[in-house]
Amino acid sequence: MTETDSCWCPDTRETPLDVVKRVVTFFERFVCRRFEDCITVLSHGVWIELCLLHYCPEVLDMGKRRVYNCEAFRIDVLSEWDGCNVTGVKLINAELVKPHS
């Protein structure tokens, strides 16, 4: 990870597939290599929405539901390793966190 956004281009917007590629890279190269039991990931709604649609679309009713500003989701991340490298990532038990009333 760097301080500059190498994916940003002033005259081109990312496609949904481009965002999903970043999501997968984020989980494979960063999250799965962490030793913490719990981390928080903050991002824009579109990134979170495409992440959920890619890994666990059922939490968004297979794309019928959108992710809105300030929503929080709790998700368990499972990684599969071949000894040295991440070979797969699964997001399970995804659920919308309800605000306290």
Side-chain angles (χ1 to χ4, degrees), residues 2-62:
T2 65
E3 290 294 318
T4 58
D5 185 351
S6 60
C7 296
W8 184 80
C9 195
D11 55 348
T12 307
R13 292 187 56 93
E14 282 184 293
T15 67
L17 182 57
D18 293 332
V19 176
V20 169
K21 287 178 184 177
R22 279 196 305 120
V23 166
V24 170
T25 299
F26 173 73
F27 281 100
E28 289 179 353
R29 292 189 184 166
F30 181 72
V31 173
C32 289
R33 298 177 188 280
R34 306 298 302 168
F35 296 104
E36 294 85 0
D37 291 332
C38 180
I39 65 169
T40 300
V41 177
L42 301 173
S43 184
H44 297 280
V46 172
W47 193 96
I48 298 291
E49 187 170 317
L50 291 172
C51 172
L52 294 172
L53 287 172
H54 179 73
Y55 284 110
C56 45
E58 62 280 355
V59 75
L60 296 180
D61 196 19
M62 307 310 274

Side-chain angles (χ1 to χ4, degrees), residues 56-89:
C56 45
E58 62 280 355
V59 75
L60 296 180
D61 196 19
M62 307 310 274
K64 294 177 186 170
R65 186 192 184 291
R66 300 291 313 261
V67 173
Y68 297 102
N69 289 341
C70 300
E71 285 188 325
F73 290 83
R74 185 200 166 285
I75 305 167
D76 294 327
V77 179
L78 301 177
S79 57
E80 299 168 353
W81 290 75
D82 68 0
C84 296
N85 300 304
V86 176
T87 59
V89 175

